[in-house]
Amino acid sequence: MKEALSLVQRLSAHPDSRCWFVSWSPTGTLLASCGGDKAVRIWGREGDSWICKSVLQDGHQRTVRKVAWSPCGNYLASASFDATTCIWKKKNDDFESMTVLEGHENEVKCVAWAPSGNLLATCSRDKSVWVWEVDEEDEYECVTVVNSHTQDVKHVVWHPTQELLASASYDNNICIYKEEDDDWECRATLQGHTSTVWGLSFDAAGQRLASCSDDRTVKIWKEYPNECGQDLSWKCVCTLSGYHGRTVYDVAWCRLTGAMATACGDDAVRVFKEDETADPDQPVFSLAAQVAKAHSQDVNCVAWNPKEVGLLASCSDDGDIAIWRFQEED
Amino acid sequence: MSGGTRLENANPVIFQRSGERVLTANDEDEDVHDPIDDREIFDLIRSINDPEHPLSLEELNVVEQVRVKVDDAESNVSVEFTPTIPHCSMATLIGLSIKVKLLRSLPDRFKIDVRISPGTHASEEAVNKQLADKERVAAALENSSLLEVVNQCLSTRSI
């Protein structure tokens, strides 16, 4: 069996600056990108190619680090180095800035919506993770500030179905949070990486979490039932080492196929597949495809299309987005 | 970084500057492919100003050609620098200036690693981690007052 990653299209998304992150809308029809040019761009398919549908400017004074779609697809949140998070509302084919969330002391590094769409999490270089609640009138209120990390928090991601939040940090750790009597608490700290953890991705069922790091490895963590009923129990069940030449900036676990993609500082995009015959407590992943020079500079992000099997987007310091098709051939 | 306060290292040892690069016939021949070498990288960084003294990083022996490694084919550059004293609070700023100088001068394909020479600074690991974090470097360079200090270190000094 042969697997291949073929280029569908390359887009000059944020010329003369970095493209930091890309995010697919829940229906998979739109792709949002953001970058060092302070702008967010929305890409859509027209015929056989992807084109820029709108440019969201003037929302931020500095780099836009990450973007996230609400589960309904009607809102887009953008996290910026200007210490704010902007909420954009989709109106027909355009987007308008609706709310600006303020409070973090410095750069906001990531934003993520809970599966219900009622909660939003942000994290910052100020070491904190904030959880915001959204009401019917589109009003946002900060319900919790958690300070479990001792350093810059790089990434936040919600569980695919539950109100469970995970964060990754410059302090090399991952924290898992749950709500407890109206308060969000860190219920597990996942230690194992030996340098900054840059990205996190849950598998489709949410029982496992993949993390990627400056230590050039990807780790797979699995949740185990805990008899005491107190803290959550997550264990590292697999470490992928030796594949990445430099920092691994992002990891994306496809909810449709289970394939795992990584974005690396050595300019490569890689896809790993799990050996389905292996012991679930000792999973085995193997490299299924890689493009060594996927971009001309560091790859910052990889994202699987949520509806179209095998469609993968990546973006880079070179300012480009690349769209790939991952195919398993017989 | 405020001026006027007491110098951290009041009497640094000053080192001799190296001579100009000796050009060979091949260097001048436009048709010969000429990979970027250690000396070329060293020439880019040796005249960076020390934030504290009116001296260059070369004169303070903060940078040396032997601590510059370049692999043109692999597009890698690695520079180790030696702070003048093990508790130098300027170490991150010096490293950042070296990094910015190389980012601005070299083609985009280069991966640039700037680190402290092993064993020469009390907070070696923390400074190295900070310099290797491109997200924090990018955020730092959006800070106009910090950028101004970096640009001062990189400005050519009139003697």
Side-chain angles (χ1 to χ4, degrees):
Chain A
M1 194 162 72
K2 185 180 155 243
E3 286 108 349
L5 206 50
S6 54
L7 183 70
V8 175
Q9 200 183 339
R10 199 177 287 278
L11 305 160
S12 177
H14 296 261
D16 305 318
S17 82
R18 279 189 165 104
C19 184
W20 273 116
F21 204 71
V22 286
S23 175
W24 293 101
S25 64
T27 53
T29 53
L30 296 174
L31 181 72
S33 67
C34 60
D37 58 1
K38 309 175 181 105
V40 175
R41 285 186 172 75
I42 311 292
W43 306 84
R45 199 163 3 202
E46 207 149 275
D48 284 337
S49 63
W50 294 84
I51 59 153
C52 183
K53 295 276 192 184
S54 31
V55 184
L56 285 55
Q57 268 164 322
D58 307 323
H60 292 290
Q61 311 302 313
R62 291 180 58 186
T63 285
V64 184
R65 180 64 182 88
K66 278 174 195 165
V67 280
W69 293 90
S70 63
C72 63
N74 292 328
Y75 301 90
L76 186 74
S78 55
S80 166
F81 283 0
D82 70 10
T84 70
T85 304
C86 205
I87 309 290
W88 307 81
K89 190 171 187 172
K90 193 168 172 238
K91 288 231 168 135
N92 303 319
D93 268 348
D94 218 355
F95 289 79
E96 64 182 45
S97 167
M98 199 184 66
T99 311
V100 178
L101 308 181
E102 294 174 339
H104 280 295
E105 278 172 37
N106 38 45
E107 295 95 274
V108 184
K109 298 292 179 70
C110 188
V111 57
W113 298 84
S116 64
N118 297 327
L119 296 168
L120 187 76
T122 55
C123 65
S124 159
R125 190 166 70 88
D126 69 12
K127 306 170 188 173
S128 68
V129 172
W130 292 40
V131 179
W132 307 78
E133 201 167 51
V134 196
D135 67 16
E136 293 80 26
E137 273 100 55
D138 285 343
E139 297 284 335
Y140 290 75
E141 191 197 353
C142 174
V143 290
T144 296
V145 175
V146 206
N147 287 294
S148 297
H149 287 293
T150 59
Q151 290 288 344
D152 188 357
V153 190
K154 300 295 196 184
H155 197 80
V156 278
V157 65
W158 290 90
H159 186 281
T161 53
Q162 299 167 28
E163 288 194 341
L164 188 82
L165 180 68
S167 65
S169 166
Y170 188 86
D171 69 12
N172 309 352
N173 295 336
I174 299 159
C175 286
I176 311 260
Y177 312 84
K178 241 186 157 168
E179 195 181 7
E180 185 88 15
D181 304 328
D182 284 341
D183 220 6
W184 287 77
E185 283 177 2
C186 175
R187 297 284 301 279
T189 302
L190 283 49
Q191 292 176 313
H193 281 296
T194 55
S195 191
T196 304
V197 188
W198 282 97
L200 298 170
S201 182
F202 279 101
D203 71 356
Q207 281 159 352
R208 295 185 299 173
L209 179 68
S211 60
C212 61
S213 163
D214 180 50
D215 68 14
R216 305 179 183 195
T217 70
V218 171
K219 286 181 182 287
I220 311 294
W221 308 81
K222 187 168 182 246
E223 189 183 9
Y224 285 91
N226 195 327
E227 301 79 32
C228 333
Q230 273 300 310
D231 279 348
L232 303 170
S233 178
W234 288 77
K235 285 178 192 149
C236 178
V237 291
C238 178
T239 299
L240 281 74
S241 53
Y243 292 105
H244 299 93
R246 293 179 70 90
T247 305
V248 193
Y249 287 110
D250 196 27
V251 58
W253 211 331
C254 182
R255 303 259 163 101
L256 304 174
T257 65
M260 193 190 310
T262 60
C264 185
D266 64 9
D267 307 346
V269 169
R270 296 178 176 84
V271 177
F272 296 86
K273 287 282 281 183
E274 186 173 2
D275 176 355
E276 303 196 342
T277 60
D279 175 0
D281 289 325
Q282 291 175 303
V284 176
F285 288 80
S286 54
L287 187 64
Q290 71 172 325
V291 181
K293 288 274 166 212
H295 287 275
S296 65
Q297 294 181 56
D298 294 6
V299 187
N300 291 323
C301 174
V302 277
W304 292 103
N305 186 294
K307 297 290 178 205
E308 197 175 327
V309 168
L311 200 66
L312 180 74
S314 64
C315 69
S316 161
D317 277 355
D318 64 17
D320 289 357
I321 295 174
I323 299 188
W324 310 89
R325 190 170 300 284
F326 173 64
Q327 244 158 355
E328 296 181 51
E329 292 163 11
D330 294 320
Chain B
M1 263 150 275
S2 60
T5 48
R6 197 141 47 92
L7 294 178
E8 276 193 26
N9 184 7
N11 284 307
V13 182
I14 301 172
F15 290 75
Q16 183 85 44
R17 277 187 279 176
S18 43
E20 297 302 311
R21 178 192 180 100
V22 182
L23 291 177
T24 64
N26 269 357
D27 287 336
E28 282 164 356
D29 186 346
E30 293 292 325
D31 295 329
V32 175
H33 174 69
D34 198 4
I36 294 174
D37 60 23
D38 297 355
R39 176 62 206 242
E40 236 164 314
I41 300 293
F42 182 63
D43 277 344
L44 287 170
I45 59 172
R46 67 182 178 124
S47 54
I48 294 173
N49 302 314
D50 181 77
E52 198 171 64
H53 294 285
L55 293 165
S56 69
L57 296 186
E58 180 186 25
E59 287 167 311
L60 291 168
N61 209 39
V62 171
V63 294
E64 297 167 274
Q65 192 178 331
V66 293
R67 297 190 185 281
V68 172
K69 296 275 176 285
V70 54
D71 185 336
D72 185 276
E74 293 291 317
S75 303
N76 287 327
V77 171
S78 123
V79 173
E80 284 179 0
F81 68 102
T82 313
T84 54
I85 47 170
H87 289 277
C88 181
S89 64
M90 308 284 176
T92 313
L93 176 61
I94 293 170
L96 188 61
S97 301
I98 297 172
K99 189 142 192 171
V100 171
K101 176 71 188 187
L102 295 176
L103 284 170
R104 287 180 185 167
S105 314
L106 293 174
D108 291 337
R109 65 183 164 94
F110 276 94
K111 307 288 181 188
I112 300 159
D113 294 310
V114 176
R115 293 187 202 92
I116 290 181
S117 309
T120 64
H121 196 273
S123 317
E124 182 183 326
E125 212 175 307
V127 174
N128 287 345
K129 192 171 187 179
Q130 181 107 333
L131 290 172
D133 186 322
K134 67 170 183 179
E135 185 186 63
R136 289 166 74 120
V137 169
L141 296 178
E142 286 186 6
N143 174 335
S144 55
S145 49
L146 182 58
L147 189 60
E148 200 179 314
V149 179
V150 169
N151 283 335
Q152 259 163 30
C153 290
L154 298 184
S155 64
T156 34
R157 191 164 17 114
S158 51
I159 303 160

